[in-house]
Amino acid sequence: MASQSPPPPPNLQGQMNQSSKLAVKEPTTHPIHDMQDTIAKLKDYTCLCEARIKELHPDHPLPIQHIHIGAPLPETAPPNNSLPLMSKNVPAFVLSAAASNNRQEREDRTMIMELRRQKEHEEARNQELTKQNLQLRSFADRKTREAQVLNRHLVNSQTKVKEMESQLVGLQTSDSRKRINAMSSKP
């Protein structure tokens, strides 16, 4: 004789009918899938928030806890804008853009520092040249005054030489006359 399995109890039989009716009525949506999607989105948002927190305060501990809210943060160096620690759930295009921005920012900072160094060097050089210029002007003014004094002395000396020459000529002329007179007066 063939054995037959006993029929299911009436309350289970009704549940089976209801679940097969539910499966037929709503085959595309399932609450577990919706919850999984929501959890994935929340995880992505959590990673994004943690990345932003790390940008603002790199030394802040993660994950954020209730004791951190309202607590003073220790004084830290400016953010180094490094990539977030929890980058595995962040979309690749966000990480790529962040890495590119960070690299560009580092390059810009390096260039700014180099330009500041060059500016300081040029300002120091400008100060040195200004100082040398003032010294040269002072030296030139002093030499100009000395040349003017020497020129006056030269003019005075030339005037005296001319006076002495004319006196000498006058003496020679009068001496010559005396000799001529002395010779003419001798018999």
PDB file of all heavy atoms in Angstrom, residues 124-146:
ATOM      1  N   ALA A 124      64.956  91.394  -0.617  1.00  0.00           N
ATOM      2  CA  ALA A 124      66.256  91.562   0.025  1.00  0.00           C
ATOM      3  C   ALA A 124      67.253  92.157  -0.967  1.00  0.00           C
ATOM      4  O   ALA A 124      68.022  93.063  -0.623  1.00  0.00           O
ATOM      5  CB  ALA A 124      66.765  90.219   0.559  1.00  0.00           C
ATOM      6  N   ARG A 125      67.234  91.658  -2.199  1.00  0.00           N
ATOM      7  CA  ARG A 125      68.124  92.186  -3.243  1.00  0.00           C
ATOM      8  C   ARG A 125      67.801  93.654  -3.520  1.00  0.00           C
ATOM      9  O   ARG A 125      68.707  94.483  -3.680  1.00  0.00           O
ATOM     10  CB  ARG A 125      67.975  91.343  -4.510  1.00  0.00           C
ATOM     11  CG  ARG A 125      68.808  91.785  -5.661  1.00  0.00           C
ATOM     12  CD  ARG A 125      70.254  91.375  -5.496  1.00  0.00           C
ATOM     13  NE  ARG A 125      70.995  91.766  -6.679  1.00  0.00           N
ATOM     14  CZ  ARG A 125      72.162  92.360  -6.654  1.00  0.00           C
ATOM     15  NH1 ARG A 125      72.763  92.579  -5.521  1.00  0.00           N
ATOM     16  NH2 ARG A 125      72.755  92.706  -7.761  1.00  0.00           N
ATOM     17  N   ASN A 126      66.522  93.988  -3.576  1.00  0.00           N
ATOM     18  CA  ASN A 126      66.090  95.370  -3.802  1.00  0.00           C
ATOM     19  C   ASN A 126      66.574  96.276  -2.674  1.00  0.00           C
ATOM     20  O   ASN A 126      67.058  97.386  -2.922  1.00  0.00           O
ATOM     21  CB  ASN A 126      64.569  95.436  -3.936  1.00  0.00           C
ATOM     22  CG  ASN A 126      64.082  96.814  -4.339  1.00  0.00           C
ATOM     23  OD1 ASN A 126      64.782  97.565  -4.994  1.00  0.00           O
ATOM     24  ND2 ASN A 126      62.871  97.133  -3.942  1.00  0.00           N
ATOM     25  N   GLN A 127      66.463  95.819  -1.434  1.00  0.00           N
ATOM     26  CA  GLN A 127      66.954  96.601  -0.301  1.00  0.00           C
ATOM     27  C   GLN A 127      68.453  96.815  -0.395  1.00  0.00           C
ATOM     28  O   GLN A 127      68.955  97.914  -0.138  1.00  0.00           O
ATOM     29  CB  GLN A 127      66.600  95.914   1.020  1.00  0.00           C
ATOM     30  CG  GLN A 127      65.134  96.000   1.376  1.00  0.00           C
ATOM     31  CD  GLN A 127      64.808  95.247   2.658  1.00  0.00           C
ATOM     32  OE1 GLN A 127      65.643  94.523   3.184  1.00  0.00           O
ATOM     33  NE2 GLN A 127      63.593  95.426   3.148  1.00  0.00           N
ATOM     34  N   GLU A 128      69.180  95.772  -0.769  1.00  0.00           N
ATOM     35  CA  GLU A 128      70.636  95.874  -0.907  1.00  0.00           C
ATOM     36  C   GLU A 128      70.997  96.863  -2.010  1.00  0.00           C
ATOM     37  O   GLU A 128      71.886  97.711  -1.834  1.00  0.00           O
ATOM     38  CB  GLU A 128      71.246  94.496  -1.200  1.00  0.00           C
ATOM     39  CG  GLU A 128      72.737  94.496  -1.354  1.00  0.00           C
ATOM     40  CD  GLU A 128      73.496  94.906  -0.104  1.00  0.00           C
ATOM     41  OE1 GLU A 128      72.985  94.691   1.016  1.00  0.00           O
ATOM     42  OE2 GLU A 128      74.592  95.460  -0.234  1.00  0.00           O
ATOM     43  N   LEU A 129      70.304  96.782  -3.149  1.00  0.00           N
ATOM     44  CA  LEU A 129      70.582  97.706  -4.248  1.00  0.00           C
ATOM     45  C   LEU A 129      70.208  99.139  -3.880  1.00  0.00           C
ATOM     46  O   LEU A 129      70.914 100.081  -4.259  1.00  0.00           O
ATOM     47  CB  LEU A 129      69.842  97.260  -5.511  1.00  0.00           C
ATOM     48  CG  LEU A 129      70.365  95.984  -6.172  1.00  0.00           C
ATOM     49  CD1 LEU A 129      69.459  95.565  -7.328  1.00  0.00           C
ATOM     50  CD2 LEU A 129      71.797  96.158  -6.645  1.00  0.00           C
ATOM     51  N   THR A 130      69.139  99.319  -3.150  1.00  0.00           N
ATOM     52  CA  THR A 130      68.746 100.652  -2.696  1.00  0.00           C
ATOM     53  C   THR A 130      69.815 101.228  -1.775  1.00  0.00           C
ATOM     54  O   THR A 130      70.189 102.404  -1.885  1.00  0.00           O
ATOM     55  CB  THR A 130      67.382 100.590  -1.972  1.00  0.00           C
ATOM     56  OG1 THR A 130      66.410 100.075  -2.878  1.00  0.00           O
ATOM     57  CG2 THR A 130      66.941 101.951  -1.487  1.00  0.00           C
ATOM     58  N   LYS A 131      70.311 100.395  -0.874  1.00  0.00           N
ATOM     59  CA  LYS A 131      71.377 100.825   0.038  1.00  0.00           C
ATOM     60  C   LYS A 131      72.625 101.215  -0.754  1.00  0.00           C
ATOM     61  O   LYS A 131      73.239 102.261  -0.500  1.00  0.00           O
ATOM     62  CB  LYS A 131      71.678  99.693   1.022  1.00  0.00           C
ATOM     63  CG  LYS A 131      72.709 100.028   2.060  1.00  0.00           C
ATOM     64  CD  LYS A 131      72.924  98.840   2.981  1.00  0.00           C
ATOM     65  CE  LYS A 131      74.044  99.101   3.968  1.00  0.00           C
ATOM     66  NZ  LYS A 131      74.276  97.928   4.818  1.00  0.00           N
ATOM     67  N   GLN A 132      73.015 100.376  -1.715  1.00  0.00           N
ATOM     68  CA  GLN A 132      74.182 100.682  -2.539  1.00  0.00           C
ATOM     69  C   GLN A 132      73.971 101.966  -3.344  1.00  0.00           C
ATOM     70  O   GLN A 132      74.887 102.778  -3.483  1.00  0.00           O
ATOM     71  CB  GLN A 132      74.486  99.518  -3.488  1.00  0.00           C
ATOM     72  CG  GLN A 132      75.061  98.307  -2.818  1.00  0.00           C
ATOM     73  CD  GLN A 132      75.285  97.156  -3.790  1.00  0.00           C
ATOM     74  OE1 GLN A 132      75.003  97.261  -4.992  1.00  0.00           O
ATOM     75  NE2 GLN A 132      75.788  96.042  -3.274  1.00  0.00           N
ATOM     76  N   ASN A 133      72.767 102.145  -3.855  1.00  0.00           N
ATOM     77  CA  ASN A 133      72.447 103.350  -4.620  1.00  0.00           C
ATOM     78  C   ASN A 133      72.605 104.590  -3.747  1.00  0.00           C
ATOM     79  O   ASN A 133      73.183 105.596  -4.187  1.00  0.00           O
ATOM     80  CB  ASN A 133      71.031 103.253  -5.187  1.00  0.00           C
ATOM     81  CG  ASN A 133      70.693 104.373  -6.145  1.00  0.00           C
ATOM     82  OD1 ASN A 133      71.562 105.074  -6.638  1.00  0.00           O
ATOM     83  ND2 ASN A 133      69.410 104.540  -6.412  1.00  0.00           N
ATOM     84  N   LEU A 134      72.088 104.534  -2.529  1.00  0.00           N
ATOM     85  CA  LEU A 134      72.225 105.674  -1.611  1.00  0.00           C
ATOM     86  C   LEU A 134      73.700 105.942  -1.294  1.00  0.00           C
ATOM     87  O   LEU A 134      74.133 107.107  -1.244  1.00  0.00           O
ATOM     88  CB  LEU A 134      71.438 105.419  -0.324  1.00  0.00           C
ATOM     89  CG  LEU A 134      69.913 105.437  -0.462  1.00  0.00           C
ATOM     90  CD1 LEU A 134      69.262 105.024   0.854  1.00  0.00           C
ATOM     91  CD2 LEU A 134      69.433 106.814  -0.884  1.00  0.00           C
ATOM     92  N   GLN A 135      74.464 104.879  -1.084  1.00  0.00           N
ATOM     93  CA  GLN A 135      75.886 105.047  -0.808  1.00  0.00           C
ATOM     94  C   GLN A 135      76.601 105.678  -2.000  1.00  0.00           C
ATOM     95  O   GLN A 135      77.441 106.578  -1.830  1.00  0.00           O
ATOM     96  CB  GLN A 135      76.527 103.693  -0.461  1.00  0.00           C
ATOM     97  CG  GLN A 135      76.107 103.149   0.881  1.00  0.00           C
ATOM     98  CD  GLN A 135      76.608 101.728   1.120  1.00  0.00           C
ATOM     99  OE1 GLN A 135      77.029 101.039   0.195  1.00  0.00           O
ATOM    100  NE2 GLN A 135      76.554 101.292   2.373  1.00  0.00           N
ATOM    101  N   LEU A 136      76.292 105.215  -3.207  1.00  0.00           N
ATOM    102  CA  LEU A 136      76.914 105.774  -4.406  1.00  0.00           C
ATOM    103  C   LEU A 136      76.528 107.237  -4.620  1.00  0.00           C
ATOM    104  O   LEU A 136      77.365 108.060  -5.010  1.00  0.00           O
ATOM    105  CB  LEU A 136      76.558 104.939  -5.636  1.00  0.00           C
ATOM    106  CG  LEU A 136      77.235 103.570  -5.726  1.00  0.00           C
ATOM    107  CD1 LEU A 136      76.671 102.772  -6.896  1.00  0.00           C
ATOM    108  CD2 LEU A 136      78.744 103.727  -5.873  1.00  0.00           C
ATOM    109  N   ARG A 137      75.273 107.583  -4.358  1.00  0.00           N
ATOM    110  CA  ARG A 137      74.850 108.984  -4.482  1.00  0.00           C
ATOM    111  C   ARG A 137      75.590 109.851  -3.473  1.00  0.00           C
ATOM    112  O   ARG A 137      76.034 110.954  -3.804  1.00  0.00           O
ATOM    113  CB  ARG A 137      73.341 109.108  -4.280  1.00  0.00           C
ATOM    114  CG  ARG A 137      72.555 108.655  -5.462  1.00  0.00           C
ATOM    115  CD  ARG A 137      71.087 108.896  -5.262  1.00  0.00           C
ATOM    116  NE  ARG A 137      70.340 108.367  -6.388  1.00  0.00           N
ATOM    117  CZ  ARG A 137      69.070 108.591  -6.586  1.00  0.00           C
ATOM    118  NH1 ARG A 137      68.384 109.336  -5.731  1.00  0.00           N
ATOM    119  NH2 ARG A 137      68.461 108.096  -7.625  1.00  0.00           N
ATOM    120  N   SER A 138      75.709 109.358  -2.259  1.00  0.00           N
ATOM    121  CA  SER A 138      76.430 110.103  -1.224  1.00  0.00           C
ATOM    122  C   SER A 138      77.889 110.282  -1.634  1.00  0.00           C
ATOM    123  O   SER A 138      78.456 111.368  -1.509  1.00  0.00           O
ATOM    124  CB  SER A 138      76.328 109.359   0.103  1.00  0.00           C
ATOM    125  OG  SER A 138      77.111 109.989   1.082  1.00  0.00           O
ATOM    126  N   PHE A 139      78.503 109.219  -2.129  1.00  0.00           N
ATOM    127  CA  PHE A 139      79.890 109.282  -2.588  1.00  0.00           C
ATOM    128  C   PHE A 139      80.028 110.277  -3.743  1.00  0.00           C
ATOM    129  O   PHE A 139      80.957 111.098  -3.773  1.00  0.00           O
ATOM    130  CB  PHE A 139      80.355 107.881  -3.018  1.00  0.00           C
ATOM    131  CG  PHE A 139      81.756 107.832  -3.530  1.00  0.00           C
ATOM    132  CD1 PHE A 139      82.833 107.873  -2.650  1.00  0.00           C
ATOM    133  CD2 PHE A 139      82.007 107.743  -4.893  1.00  0.00           C
ATOM    134  CE1 PHE A 139      84.130 107.823  -3.122  1.00  0.00           C
ATOM    135  CE2 PHE A 139      83.300 107.688  -5.366  1.00  0.00           C
ATOM    136  CZ  PHE A 139      84.369 107.737  -4.484  1.00  0.00           C
ATOM    137  N   ALA A 140      79.095 110.220  -4.703  1.00  0.00           N
ATOM    138  CA  ALA A 140      79.133 111.128  -5.849  1.00  0.00           C
ATOM    139  C   ALA A 140      78.958 112.571  -5.398  1.00  0.00           C
ATOM    140  O   ALA A 140      79.652 113.474  -5.898  1.00  0.00           O
ATOM    141  CB  ALA A 140      78.059 110.744  -6.862  1.00  0.00           C
ATOM    142  N   ASP A 141      78.037 112.834  -4.467  1.00  0.00           N
ATOM    143  CA  ASP A 141      77.849 114.195  -3.951  1.00  0.00           C
ATOM    144  C   ASP A 141      79.119 114.693  -3.276  1.00  0.00           C
ATOM    145  O   ASP A 141      79.530 115.849  -3.471  1.00  0.00           O
ATOM    146  CB  ASP A 141      76.671 114.237  -2.962  1.00  0.00           C
ATOM    147  CG  ASP A 141      75.324 114.069  -3.652  1.00  0.00           C
ATOM    148  OD1 ASP A 141      75.261 114.220  -4.892  1.00  0.00           O
ATOM    149  OD2 ASP A 141      74.334 113.771  -2.946  1.00  0.00           O
ATOM    150  N   ARG A 142      79.743 113.840  -2.474  1.00  0.00           N
ATOM    151  CA  ARG A 142      80.977 114.230  -1.774  1.00  0.00           C
ATOM    152  C   ARG A 142      82.084 114.548  -2.779  1.00  0.00           C
ATOM    153  O   ARG A 142      82.786 115.557  -2.666  1.00  0.00           O
ATOM    154  CB  ARG A 142      81.395 113.109  -0.822  1.00  0.00           C
ATOM    155  CG  ARG A 142      82.510 113.492   0.111  1.00  0.00           C
ATOM    156  CD  ARG A 142      82.774 112.446   1.209  1.00  0.00           C
ATOM    157  NE  ARG A 142      83.157 111.148   0.654  1.00  0.00           N
ATOM    158  CZ  ARG A 142      82.432 110.046   0.758  1.00  0.00           C
ATOM    159  NH1 ARG A 142      81.285 110.066   1.403  1.00  0.00           N
ATOM    160  NH2 ARG A 142      82.838 108.911   0.235  1.00  0.00           N
ATOM    161  N   LYS A 143      82.233 113.722  -3.795  1.00  0.00           N
ATOM    162  CA  LYS A 143      83.263 113.944  -4.815  1.00  0.00           C
ATOM    163  C   LYS A 143      82.957 115.203  -5.630  1.00  0.00           C
ATOM    164  O   LYS A 143      83.875 115.930  -6.032  1.00  0.00           O
ATOM    165  CB  LYS A 143      83.394 112.724  -5.737  1.00  0.00           C
ATOM    166  CG  LYS A 143      83.995 111.525  -5.060  1.00  0.00           C
ATOM    167  CD  LYS A 143      85.387 111.845  -4.550  1.00  0.00           C
ATOM    168  CE  LYS A 143      86.016 110.682  -3.815  1.00  0.00           C
ATOM    169  NZ  LYS A 143      87.319 111.007  -3.266  1.00  0.00           N
ATOM    170  N   THR A 144      81.692 115.480  -5.875  1.00  0.00           N
ATOM    171  CA  THR A 144      81.316 116.698  -6.599  1.00  0.00           C
ATOM    172  C   THR A 144      81.704 117.928  -5.791  1.00  0.00           C
ATOM    173  O   THR A 144      82.263 118.900  -6.341  1.00  0.00           O
ATOM    174  CB  THR A 144      79.797 116.707  -6.900  1.00  0.00           C
ATOM    175  OG1 THR A 144      79.471 115.553  -7.662  1.00  0.00           O
ATOM    176  CG2 THR A 144      79.372 117.943  -7.638  1.00  0.00           C
ATOM    177  N   ARG A 145      81.420 117.904  -4.489  1.00  0.00           N
ATOM    178  CA  ARG A 145      81.807 119.038  -3.631  1.00  0.00           C
ATOM    179  C   ARG A 145      83.330 119.207  -3.605  1.00  0.00           C
ATOM    180  O   ARG A 145      83.844 120.318  -3.688  1.00  0.00           O
ATOM    181  CB  ARG A 145      81.248 118.850  -2.223  1.00  0.00           C
ATOM    182  CG  ARG A 145      79.752 119.104  -2.121  1.00  0.00           C
ATOM    183  CD  ARG A 145      79.277 119.145  -0.666  1.00  0.00           C
ATOM    184  NE  ARG A 145      79.531 117.918   0.062  1.00  0.00           N
ATOM    185  CZ  ARG A 145      78.729 116.863   0.094  1.00  0.00           C
ATOM    186  NH1 ARG A 145      77.600 116.887  -0.584  1.00  0.00           N
ATOM    187  NH2 ARG A 145      79.044 115.789   0.788  1.00  0.00           N
ATOM    188  N   GLU A 146      84.066 118.082  -3.499  1.00  0.00           N
ATOM    189  CA  GLU A 146      85.529 118.139  -3.505  1.00  0.00           C
ATOM    190  C   GLU A 146      86.033 118.720  -4.826  1.00  0.00           C
ATOM    191  O   GLU A 146      86.964 119.537  -4.839  1.00  0.00           O
ATOM    192  CB  GLU A 146      86.133 116.750  -3.279  1.00  0.00           C
ATOM    193  CG  GLU A 146      85.986 116.220  -1.882  1.00  0.00           C
ATOM    194  CD  GLU A 146      86.508 114.787  -1.734  1.00  0.00           C
ATOM    195  OE1 GLU A 146      87.108 114.242  -2.689  1.00  0.00           O
ATOM    196  OE2 GLU A 146      86.310 114.209  -0.652  1.00  0.00           O
TER     197      GLU A 146
END
